[in-house]
Amino acid sequence: MALAMASGCFGAHFSTFKAVEKSQARGDIPRGFFGLHMGRCCILPKGRLLSSVITKIPQASAATAVEDGSYRETDTIPTPKVIIDQDSDPDATVVEITFGDRLGALLDTMNALKNLGLNVVKANVYLDSSGKHNKFSITKAETGRKVEDPELLEAIRLTIINNLLEYHPESSTQLAMGVAFGMDPPKQKIDVDIATHISIYDDGPDRSLLYVETADRPGLLVDLVKIVTDINVAVESGEFDTEGLLAKAKFHVSYKGKAIIKPLQQVLANSLRYFLRRPTTEEASF
């Protein structure tokens, strides 16, 4: 299946997000994200990755527009968390959203996901010491199957974050996208070199577990998949978590149906460190 980078692919509600333009194909990749075949991956100018999957998001209003939730300005702002889980349900993509006890029913968020061509087939809420957890099971409307396209998975993640910024503008101080699109930018600055951690473990004879933690940015999920598949490593399933300013990915990966051997593990880790830690330089600066 080709990983097409075409503008406007995210649906009507996602019109404020602009997908990366189609660019020259690098070549065939045997296997793709979560078991899909990907014929092409995007090559951006001067080797840059898909770090700008979003170019325009409406700035959050200073008004306290709450999606069936409530908060007081004197409250300590909790860390927002968005989890995209491809492991726990074989038939659906499970999304979990937490923002302390401030979230309501998230009807607007569910409607926004439907506008991406998705069905919310199950929704439930539970409480624990970390707050209120809203969980959705999502499938593609046209197929009834779980979402496996990394670009659409990233669209889901960014749609949810955009709704957080819109209905809970105080969350902008705790989210990476709050730098450009929130009411108030984060006060904490993340050093990418310090924040980036990569580990690879054997997870049985047929696959390995790749763990990546780094500073969050728009398009990061697609960037990670592209880096991994560029060296012919297949991403079979996994989980992608946004925790405030950080992103944490756990991917089950394999090479030709087997666990990744140590030399290839080192190549993969070095590739990820290089692309995640290197500074981004715009063409206009030359």
Side-chain angles (χ1 to χ4, degrees), residues 191-231:
D191 187 312
V192 177
D193 287 346
I194 296 175
T196 299
H197 304 282
I198 300 166
S199 303
I200 306 173
Y201 308 97
D202 289 337
D203 188 27
D206 298 329
R207 66 183 188 178
S208 301
L209 180 63
L210 168 64
Y211 178 81
V212 180
E213 179 177 334
T214 191
D216 188 29
R217 65 172 186 256
L220 181 60
L221 191 157
V222 181
D223 285 352
L224 291 176
V225 174
K226 177 177 171 13
I227 294 166
V228 174
T229 55
D230 270 355
I231 57 174

Short mmCIF file of all heavy atoms in Angstrom, two decimals, residues 191-231:
data_model
loop_
_atom_site.label_atom_id
_atom_site.label_comp_id
_atom_site.label_asym_id
_atom_site.label_seq_id
_atom_site.Cartn_x
_atom_site.Cartn_y
_atom_site.Cartn_z
N ASP A 191 15.20 19.95 25.73
CA ASP A 191 16.42 19.72 24.98
C ASP A 191 16.30 18.36 24.29
O ASP A 191 16.23 17.33 24.95
CB ASP A 191 17.63 19.74 25.92
CG ASP A 191 18.95 19.68 25.18
OD1 ASP A 191 19.10 18.81 24.29
OD2 ASP A 191 19.85 20.48 25.50
N VAL A 192 16.27 18.37 22.96
CA VAL A 192 16.05 17.14 22.22
C VAL A 192 17.15 16.12 22.51
O VAL A 192 16.88 14.91 22.64
CB VAL A 192 15.97 17.42 20.71
CG1 VAL A 192 15.81 16.12 19.93
CG2 VAL A 192 14.81 18.35 20.40
N ASP A 193 18.40 16.57 22.62
CA ASP A 193 19.50 15.64 22.89
C ASP A 193 19.30 14.92 24.22
O ASP A 193 19.54 13.71 24.34
CB ASP A 193 20.83 16.39 22.91
CG ASP A 193 21.28 16.81 21.53
OD1 ASP A 193 20.71 16.29 20.55
OD2 ASP A 193 22.18 17.66 21.40
N ILE A 194 18.87 15.66 25.22
CA ILE A 194 18.68 15.07 26.55
C ILE A 194 17.41 14.22 26.59
O ILE A 194 17.37 13.16 27.21
CB ILE A 194 18.61 16.18 27.62
CG1 ILE A 194 19.95 16.92 27.69
CG2 ILE A 194 18.23 15.61 28.98
CD1 ILE A 194 19.95 18.11 28.61
N ALA A 195 16.37 14.68 25.90
CA ALA A 195 15.07 14.00 25.97
C ALA A 195 15.01 12.72 25.15
O ALA A 195 14.13 11.89 25.38
CB ALA A 195 13.97 14.95 25.51
N THR A 196 15.90 12.54 24.19
CA THR A 196 15.82 11.40 23.28
C THR A 196 16.47 10.15 23.87
O THR A 196 17.64 10.16 24.23
CB THR A 196 16.49 11.74 21.93
OG1 THR A 196 15.80 12.84 21.34
CG2 THR A 196 16.44 10.55 20.99
N HIS A 197 15.68 9.10 23.99
CA HIS A 197 16.16 7.80 24.48
C HIS A 197 15.63 6.71 23.56
O HIS A 197 14.44 6.69 23.22
CB HIS A 197 15.67 7.56 25.91
CG HIS A 197 16.06 8.62 26.89
ND1 HIS A 197 17.32 8.72 27.43
CD2 HIS A 197 15.34 9.66 27.39
CE1 HIS A 197 17.37 9.76 28.25
NE2 HIS A 197 16.18 10.36 28.24
N ILE A 198 16.50 5.80 23.18
CA ILE A 198 16.14 4.73 22.24
C ILE A 198 16.63 3.40 22.79
O ILE A 198 17.80 3.27 23.18
CB ILE A 198 16.76 4.98 20.85
CG1 ILE A 198 16.26 6.31 20.28
CG2 ILE A 198 16.44 3.83 19.89
CD1 ILE A 198 17.05 6.81 19.10
N SER A 199 15.74 2.43 22.82
CA SER A 199 16.10 1.09 23.29
C SER A 199 15.46 0.06 22.37
O SER A 199 14.36 0.26 21.86
CB SER A 199 15.62 0.85 24.73
OG SER A 199 16.13 1.83 25.61
N ILE A 200 16.16 -1.06 22.16
CA ILE A 200 15.65 -2.15 21.34
C ILE A 200 15.89 -3.46 22.09
O ILE A 200 17.02 -3.74 22.51
CB ILE A 200 16.32 -2.21 19.96
CG1 ILE A 200 16.20 -0.85 19.25
CG2 ILE A 200 15.68 -3.30 19.09
CD1 ILE A 200 16.98 -0.77 17.95
N TYR A 201 14.82 -4.24 22.26
CA TYR A 201 14.91 -5.50 22.99
C TYR A 201 14.34 -6.62 22.14
O TYR A 201 13.46 -6.41 21.30
CB TYR A 201 14.12 -5.42 24.30
CG TYR A 201 14.44 -4.24 25.18
CD1 TYR A 201 13.65 -3.10 25.14
CD2 TYR A 201 15.52 -4.28 26.05
CE1 TYR A 201 13.93 -2.00 25.95
CE2 TYR A 201 15.81 -3.20 26.87
CZ TYR A 201 15.02 -2.06 26.82
OH TYR A 201 15.31 -0.99 27.60
N ASP A 202 14.80 -7.83 22.38
CA ASP A 202 14.20 -9.00 21.76
C ASP A 202 12.83 -9.23 22.37
O ASP A 202 12.65 -9.15 23.59
CB ASP A 202 15.08 -10.23 21.95
CG ASP A 202 16.36 -10.17 21.13
OD1 ASP A 202 16.37 -9.45 20.12
OD2 ASP A 202 17.33 -10.85 21.51
N ASP A 203 11.86 -9.55 21.53
CA ASP A 203 10.49 -9.80 21.99
C ASP A 203 10.02 -11.12 21.38
O ASP A 203 9.01 -11.19 20.70
CB ASP A 203 9.58 -8.64 21.57
CG ASP A 203 8.19 -8.73 22.18
OD1 ASP A 203 8.07 -9.33 23.26
OD2 ASP A 203 7.24 -8.21 21.56
N GLY A 204 10.80 -12.17 21.63
CA GLY A 204 10.54 -13.47 21.03
C GLY A 204 11.41 -13.67 19.80
O GLY A 204 12.15 -12.79 19.38
N PRO A 205 11.30 -14.84 19.16
CA PRO A 205 12.17 -15.15 18.02
C PRO A 205 11.80 -14.41 16.74
O PRO A 205 12.63 -14.28 15.84
CB PRO A 205 11.98 -16.66 17.84
CG PRO A 205 10.62 -16.94 18.40
CD PRO A 205 10.45 -15.98 19.54
N ASP A 206 10.57 -13.89 16.67
CA ASP A 206 10.09 -13.34 15.41
C ASP A 206 9.98 -11.82 15.37
O ASP A 206 9.65 -11.25 14.33
CB ASP A 206 8.72 -13.93 15.06
CG ASP A 206 8.79 -15.43 14.87
OD1 ASP A 206 9.85 -15.91 14.43
OD2 ASP A 206 7.80 -16.12 15.20
N ARG A 207 10.25 -11.16 16.50
CA ARG A 207 10.16 -9.70 16.48
C ARG A 207 10.93 -9.10 17.64
O ARG A 207 11.30 -9.81 18.59
CB ARG A 207 8.70 -9.24 16.53
CG ARG A 207 7.96 -9.57 17.80
CD ARG A 207 6.51 -9.12 17.72
NE ARG A 207 5.83 -9.26 19.00
CZ ARG A 207 4.56 -8.90 19.22
NH1 ARG A 207 3.84 -8.43 18.21
NH2 ARG A 207 4.02 -9.04 20.41
N SER A 208 11.16 -7.80 17.54
CA SER A 208 11.84 -7.05 18.59
C SER A 208 10.93 -5.90 19.03
O SER A 208 9.99 -5.53 18.33
CB SER A 208 13.17 -6.48 18.07
OG SER A 208 14.03 -7.52 17.62
N LEU A 209 11.24 -5.33 20.19
CA LEU A 209 10.48 -4.19 20.71
C LEU A 209 11.37 -2.95 20.66
O LEU A 209 12.43 -2.91 21.27
CB LEU A 209 10.03 -4.46 22.14
CG LEU A 209 9.22 -3.34 22.80
CD1 LEU A 209 7.90 -3.11 22.07
CD2 LEU A 209 8.96 -3.65 24.28
N LEU A 210 10.91 -1.96 19.91
CA LEU A 210 11.62 -0.69 19.78
C LEU A 210 10.93 0.34 20.65
O LEU A 210 9.72 0.55 20.54
CB LEU A 210 11.62 -0.23 18.32
CG LEU A 210 12.06 1.22 18.05
CD1 LEU A 210 13.52 1.43 18.42
CD2 LEU A 210 11.81 1.58 16.59
N TYR A 211 11.69 0.97 21.53
CA TYR A 211 11.15 2.03 22.40
C TYR A 211 11.87 3.33 22.09
O TYR A 211 13.11 3.39 22.10
CB TYR A 211 11.33 1.66 23.87
CG TYR A 211 10.85 2.74 24.82
CD1 TYR A 211 9.49 2.86 25.13
CD2 TYR A 211 11.73 3.64 25.39
CE1 TYR A 211 9.04 3.84 25.99
CE2 TYR A 211 11.29 4.63 26.24
CZ TYR A 211 9.94 4.73 26.54
OH TYR A 211 9.49 5.72 27.39
N VAL A 212 11.09 4.38 21.81
CA VAL A 212 11.65 5.69 21.51
C VAL A 212 10.95 6.73 22.37
O VAL A 212 9.72 6.78 22.42
CB VAL A 212 11.46 6.07 20.02
CG1 VAL A 212 12.07 7.46 19.75
CG2 VAL A 212 12.10 5.04 19.11
N GLU A 213 11.72 7.55 23.05
CA GLU A 213 11.18 8.70 23.78
C GLU A 213 11.94 9.94 23.31
O GLU A 213 13.17 9.94 23.25
CB GLU A 213 11.36 8.52 25.29
CG GLU A 213 10.84 9.71 26.10
CD GLU A 213 10.95 9.49 27.60
OE1 GLU A 213 10.96 8.31 28.03
OE2 GLU A 213 11.02 10.49 28.34
N THR A 214 11.20 10.99 22.95
CA THR A 214 11.83 12.19 22.43
C THR A 214 10.89 13.37 22.58
O THR A 214 9.74 13.22 23.02
CB THR A 214 12.25 12.01 20.96
OG1 THR A 214 13.09 13.08 20.56
CG2 THR A 214 11.04 11.93 20.05
N ALA A 215 11.37 14.56 22.25
CA ALA A 215 10.53 15.75 22.27
C ALA A 215 9.46 15.64 21.19
O ALA A 215 9.74 15.26 20.06
CB ALA A 215 11.38 17.00 22.06
N ASP A 216 8.23 15.98 21.55
CA ASP A 216 7.12 15.87 20.60
C ASP A 216 7.19 16.99 19.57
O ASP A 216 7.72 18.06 19.82
CB ASP A 216 5.79 15.92 21.34
CG ASP A 216 4.61 15.62 20.43
OD1 ASP A 216 4.81 14.86 19.45
OD2 ASP A 216 3.51 16.13 20.69
N ARG A 217 6.63 16.71 18.40
CA ARG A 217 6.46 17.71 17.35
C ARG A 217 5.42 17.19 16.37
O ARG A 217 5.21 15.97 16.27
CB ARG A 217 7.78 17.99 16.62
CG ARG A 217 8.35 16.81 15.84
CD ARG A 217 9.54 17.24 15.01
NE ARG A 217 10.02 16.18 14.15
CZ ARG A 217 11.10 15.46 14.35
NH1 ARG A 217 11.82 15.69 15.43
NH2 ARG A 217 11.47 14.54 13.50
N PRO A 218 4.75 18.07 15.66
CA PRO A 218 3.78 17.60 14.65
C PRO A 218 4.47 16.74 13.60
O PRO A 218 5.57 17.04 13.14
CB PRO A 218 3.27 18.91 14.03
CG PRO A 218 3.50 19.95 15.07
CD PRO A 218 4.77 19.54 15.78
N GLY A 219 3.83 15.64 13.23
CA GLY A 219 4.37 14.75 12.21
C GLY A 219 5.33 13.71 12.73
O GLY A 219 5.86 12.91 11.94
N LEU A 220 5.56 13.66 14.04
CA LEU A 220 6.59 12.78 14.58
C LEU A 220 6.28 11.31 14.33
O LEU A 220 7.18 10.53 14.01
CB LEU A 220 6.75 13.03 16.08
CG LEU A 220 7.82 12.19 16.79
CD1 LEU A 220 9.20 12.42 16.18
CD2 LEU A 220 7.83 12.49 18.28
N LEU A 221 5.03 10.90 14.47
CA LEU A 221 4.68 9.50 14.28
C LEU A 221 5.06 9.04 12.87
O LEU A 221 5.66 7.97 12.69
CB LEU A 221 3.19 9.29 14.55
CG LEU A 221 2.68 7.85 14.65
CD1 LEU A 221 1.39 7.82 15.46
CD2 LEU A 221 2.44 7.20 13.30
N VAL A 222 4.72 9.85 11.86
CA VAL A 222 5.06 9.50 10.48
C VAL A 222 6.57 9.50 10.29
O VAL A 222 7.13 8.64 9.59
CB VAL A 222 4.38 10.46 9.50
CG1 VAL A 222 4.70 10.09 8.06
CG2 VAL A 222 2.87 10.46 9.71
N ASP A 223 7.25 10.46 10.89
CA ASP A 223 8.71 10.52 10.79
C ASP A 223 9.36 9.24 11.30
O ASP A 223 10.26 8.67 10.67
CB ASP A 223 9.26 11.71 11.59
CG ASP A 223 9.01 13.04 10.91
OD1 ASP A 223 8.56 13.05 9.75
OD2 ASP A 223 9.29 14.08 11.54
N LEU A 224 8.91 8.77 12.47
CA LEU A 224 9.49 7.56 13.05
C LEU A 224 9.29 6.35 12.16
O LEU A 224 10.21 5.55 11.95
CB LEU A 224 8.89 7.31 14.43
CG LEU A 224 9.24 8.29 15.54
CD1 LEU A 224 8.48 7.96 16.81
CD2 LEU A 224 10.74 8.32 15.80
N VAL A 225 8.09 6.20 11.63
CA VAL A 225 7.82 5.06 10.76
C VAL A 225 8.68 5.12 9.51
O VAL A 225 9.22 4.11 9.05
CB VAL A 225 6.32 5.03 10.38
CG1 VAL A 225 6.05 3.94 9.35
CG2 VAL A 225 5.47 4.80 11.62
N LYS A 226 8.85 6.30 8.95
CA LYS A 226 9.67 6.46 7.75
C LYS A 226 11.13 6.10 8.02
O LYS A 226 11.76 5.41 7.22
CB LYS A 226 9.57 7.89 7.22
CG LYS A 226 10.46 8.14 6.01
CD LYS A 226 10.29 9.52 5.47
CE LYS A 226 11.30 9.91 4.41
NZ LYS A 226 12.10 8.88 3.81
N ILE A 227 11.65 6.55 9.15
CA ILE A 227 13.05 6.24 9.49
C ILE A 227 13.24 4.72 9.59
O ILE A 227 14.21 4.16 9.07
CB ILE A 227 13.44 6.92 10.82
CG1 ILE A 227 13.44 8.43 10.66
CG2 ILE A 227 14.82 6.44 11.27
CD1 ILE A 227 13.48 9.17 11.99
N VAL A 228 12.31 4.05 10.28
CA VAL A 228 12.44 2.61 10.48
C VAL A 228 12.31 1.85 9.16
O VAL A 228 13.12 0.97 8.84
CB VAL A 228 11.38 2.12 11.50
CG1 VAL A 228 11.40 0.60 11.61
CG2 VAL A 228 11.61 2.76 12.86
N THR A 229 11.29 2.18 8.37
CA THR A 229 11.06 1.44 7.13
C THR A 229 12.09 1.76 6.06
O THR A 229 12.27 0.97 5.13
CB THR A 229 9.64 1.71 6.59
OG1 THR A 229 9.45 3.12 6.42
CG2 THR A 229 8.59 1.17 7.54
N ASP A 230 12.78 2.89 6.17
CA ASP A 230 13.83 3.23 5.21
C ASP A 230 14.98 2.23 5.24
O ASP A 230 15.74 2.11 4.27
CB ASP A 230 14.37 4.64 5.47
CG ASP A 230 13.60 5.70 4.70
OD1 ASP A 230 12.71 5.34 3.90
OD2 ASP A 230 13.90 6.90 4.88
N ILE A 231 15.15 1.51 6.36
CA ILE A 231 16.20 0.49 6.41
C ILE A 231 15.59 -0.91 6.37
O ILE A 231 16.17 -1.87 6.88
CB ILE A 231 17.12 0.68 7.65
CG1 ILE A 231 16.30 0.65 8.94
CG2 ILE A 231 17.90 1.96 7.55
CD1 ILE A 231 17.19 0.69 10.19
#
